[in-house]
Amino acid sequence: MRILQVASEAVPLCKTGGLADVVTALSEALVERGDEVTVLMPAYRGTIARAGATPAFELGDPLGLGHAARVLAAPLDDSGATVHLLQCDALFDRPGGPYGDEAGHDWPDNHLRFALLARAAAQIALASAALGGSIDVVHAHDWQAALATAYLAWWGVGRPATVFTVHNLHFTGRFPQAILPAIGAPSSAWSPADLEFYGEASYLKAGLVHADRVTTVSPTYADEIRTPEGGIGFDGLLRWRGDAVRGVLNGIDTRTWDPASDPALSIPYDAAHPAGKRDARAALQRELGLDPQTSAPIFGVVSRLTWQKGIDLWLGGAPAVLAEGAQLVVLGSGEPGLEQACLSLAAAYPGRVAVRRGYDEALSHRIFAGTDLFGVPSRFEPCGLTQMYAMRYGTPPIVRRTGGLADTVLDDDATYGAGTGFVFELPTVEACTDAMLRAIGAFRDPGRYAALQRRAMGRRHDWTASAGIYRDLYLEAAADRRRVP
Ligand code: ADP
Ligand code: GLC
């Protein structure tokens, strides 16, 4: 099959979160199965040079607004997948991040930037000769790519099948009705049956309505978003789409995330040779200025610091575990109040709490390896990748029972010592603290902790099974193309 993945980020070219990891790892897994995969993403500043991309074809002015665009091509990585960078310097060649400026304000023309991405995808898919053959499936990710499924449905004839994946329902891509003519939406689009959502146009909703198949990134999140509580206004539509909505659990890239070959570690390790983990732990303590204790359990967090991630619950549990002699490490950035709360804790506990603000890929690897227990206390979590990275590095995670966390971590107490981490139910400081203390209890029992680590490291997280499920879904979508309302 020929598959066009459409997304606003993909490693190694641009990453703000798990989406970037998933787009690339899924593409690699599909290539390994024999499919031909191209990832279409914007040519943000610096990406063309970093990818070594060369001009492939011109797209003209897809939106008809004087924004000429062209595509440059390069290998995505060494997997055999290709990346197509959508160049339109007026919209994408800017300082700052993919969605906003350095101060974190969204770009005011995001509705045009991501309409262009989607429209380019649709144009390429329809004029498939540009890729030297026909595209079977357009797989769009999150609201930034969602309109691709709508354009294809609106223009329809001879279109490929479409799949839309929701990585986070809370990012809805909402804009005023007035933008619709500029993005080339037909007048029929302004309807509750199409992209109208409580008086605004929602790009996310366009994907939920128009894609032949809708997926989200874990089975439990797929159930949650069909309830009034988890569906934040989309649950009725998601229920109405019935069996077209599926939960497919993300995998991880087990080559990039492998303590046995990780260049960020000085001594590699695996379940059979765990000594390197002790070295990684001592090195992390030195690097972050933590007291060099071997008996203190070290708790790690690598996360966006936002309400979703439950960082306040974790900080609420900190005093109790610090009183037990634990050390805490946090790497992240996000809401100023949460960043400040982390920094204040570090200031209050020198040598015991280390906080690094910002984004640091290599340090994140050293934290997964060098900590003893890992926190993902999210209020909601569509899938979550860090709990899987932590398990692979022999660092049992402490998670809330929600979304993909519920699908990937087994509580060691609830399973009478057959678990892979610790799970708490309610999004409260008390429940989070209780799980953190239970984890310390396990850490202090060396036989139990070593067995827990072995089970966590032995769990399979690779993409083989899920890539197969996506492939079946692509075939299903192709056989059952949705009729436009
Ligand atoms: P989300 O996409 O909601 O942020 P995920 O768990 O799916 O959550 O993915 C987060 C990804 O971003 C992981 O690869 C994680 O290691 C990475 N990450 C998050 N914060 C940082 C940071 N400050 N530095 C380095 N990597 C980070
Ligand atoms: C989103 C979700 C996260 C998921 C990631 C990749 O960012 O918040 O839970 O793991 O997408 O699918």
Side-chain angles (χ1 to χ4, degrees):
M1 284 183 120
R2 295 175 74 100
I3 301 149
L4 182 66
Q5 305 276 352
V6 190
S8 55
E9 13 183 309
V11 290
L13 294 172
C14 173
K15 168 169 166 178
T16 70
L19 168 67
D21 291 348
V22 167
V23 168
T24 297
L26 170 61
S27 300
E28 289 172 350
L30 290 166
V31 169
E32 219 156 274
R33 296 181 66 93
D35 295 313
E36 217 171 292
V37 184
T38 299
V39 175
L40 178 73
M41 63 178 277
Y44 303 115
R45 177 165 292 182
T47 49
I48 292 174
R50 238 177 306 138
T54 52
F57 50 89
E58 303 289 330
L59 285 174
D61 177 8
L63 293 175
L65 296 172
H67 293 307
R70 63 174 177 160
V71 165
L72 295 94
L76 176 63
D77 49 23
D78 59 7
S79 66
T82 300
V83 64
H84 276 180
L85 291 171
L86 175 65
Q87 185 182 30
C88 174
D89 289 347
L91 295 182
F92 298 128
D93 183 20
R94 299 178 179 176
Y99 314 121
D101 62 19
E102 275 142 346
H105 302 119
D106 284 353
W107 300 115
D109 53 0
N110 273 346
H111 61 288
L112 288 181
R113 300 171 76 236
F114 295 109
L116 180 71
L117 174 67
R119 188 118 179 194
Q123 193 174 317
I124 292 167
L126 290 175
S128 52
L131 282 177
S134 65
I135 290 173
D136 301 296
V137 183
V138 172
H139 185 169
H141 297 264
D142 271 354
W143 73 263
Q144 293 90 345
L147 279 183
T149 67
Y151 286 129
L152 286 168
W154 291 330
W155 301 337
V157 188
R159 71 173 178 86
T162 57
V163 173
F164 175 54
T165 294
V166 181
H167 293 262
N168 191 334
L169 197 72
H170 281 68
F171 296 110
T172 54
R174 275 155 80 162
F175 303 101
Q177 179 189 2
I179 61 127
L180 290 181
I183 65 167
S187 53
S188 62
W190 185 250
S191 149
D194 204 322
L195 49 68
E196 182 189 345
F197 185 66
Y198 294 101
E200 289 184 291
S202 162
Y203 287 16
L204 178 94
K205 189 174 173 199
L208 301 180
V209 168
H210 289 290
D212 297 313
R213 290 291 180 277
V214 173
T215 75
T216 188
V217 289
S218 69
T220 295
Y221 193 61
D223 290 341
E224 289 170 356
I225 61 178
R226 280 181 276 213
T227 66
E229 198 197 350
I232 53 167
F234 296 106
D235 47 298
L237 167 57
L238 287 163
R239 287 194 299 274
W240 179 75
R241 296 265 355 231
D243 189 41
V245 179
R246 312 279 171 84
V248 185
L249 191 65
N250 284 337
I252 61 171
D253 179 341
T254 49
R255 280 190 310 162
T256 305
W257 298 96
D258 182 2
S261 62
D262 192 328
L265 309 181
S266 50
I267 303 182
Y269 65 91
D270 58 28
H273 312 90
K277 186 162 174 75
R278 284 196 289 279
D279 177 79
R281 189 181 186 284
L284 186 71
Q285 284 176 319
R286 277 196 303 279
E287 175 181 358
L288 298 180
L290 293 170
D291 298 338
Q293 286 169 6
T294 50
S295 61
I298 311 178
F299 287 79
V301 164
V302 176
S303 182
R304 292 188 285 119
L305 302 179
T306 62
W307 181 85
Q308 173 194 343
K309 299 292 179 180
I311 300 301
D312 52 323
L313 308 178
W314 191 252
L315 293 175
V321 296
L322 285 162
E324 287 290 320
Q327 299 184 345
L328 298 179
V329 172
V330 178
L331 168 63
S333 61
E335 292 164 15
L338 288 171
E339 288 186 357
Q340 197 44 56
C342 292
L343 292 169
S344 302
L345 189 71
Y349 291 91
R352 310 271 313 278
V353 178
V355 173
R356 291 293 178 272
R357 217 165 45 148
Y359 187 89
D360 187 334
E361 190 80 25
L363 177 58
S364 79
H365 285 241
R366 296 194 292 276
I367 292 175
F368 289 115
T371 52
D372 302 307
L373 297 158
F374 193 87
V376 195
S378 307
R379 287 196 165 75
F380 70 92
E381 195 61 74
C383 179
L385 300 176
T386 58
Q387 79 281 9
M388 293 194 263
Y389 299 153
M391 283 189 264
R392 188 146 165 85
Y393 281 71
T395 309
I398 297 153
V399 306
R400 192 171 102 69
R401 190 188 304 286
T402 183
L405 302 174
D407 293 336
T408 52
V409 182
L410 280 176
D411 186 277
D412 199 49
D413 288 314
T415 56
Y416 307 110
T420 51
F422 297 88
V423 183
F424 62 97
E425 214 53 62
L426 294 174
T428 61
V429 167
E430 292 69 31
C432 183
T433 308
D434 176 67
M436 293 168 91
L437 291 172
R438 288 194 291 120
I440 291 186
F443 176 79
R444 294 209 166 125
D445 177 343
R448 178 181 173 192
Y449 177 69
L452 174 59
Q453 282 184 301
R454 273 197 301 278
R455 281 191 299 276
M457 292 183 90
R459 197 187 172 284
R460 283 197 67 169
H461 309 280
D462 64 67
W463 267 99
T464 315
S466 292
I469 298 175
Y470 272 112
R471 201 162 190 288
D472 291 346
L473 261 174
Y474 295 156
L475 291 170
E476 229 184 274
D480 176 28
R481 251 162 266 186
R482 182 168 158 66
R483 296 226 180 278
V484 190

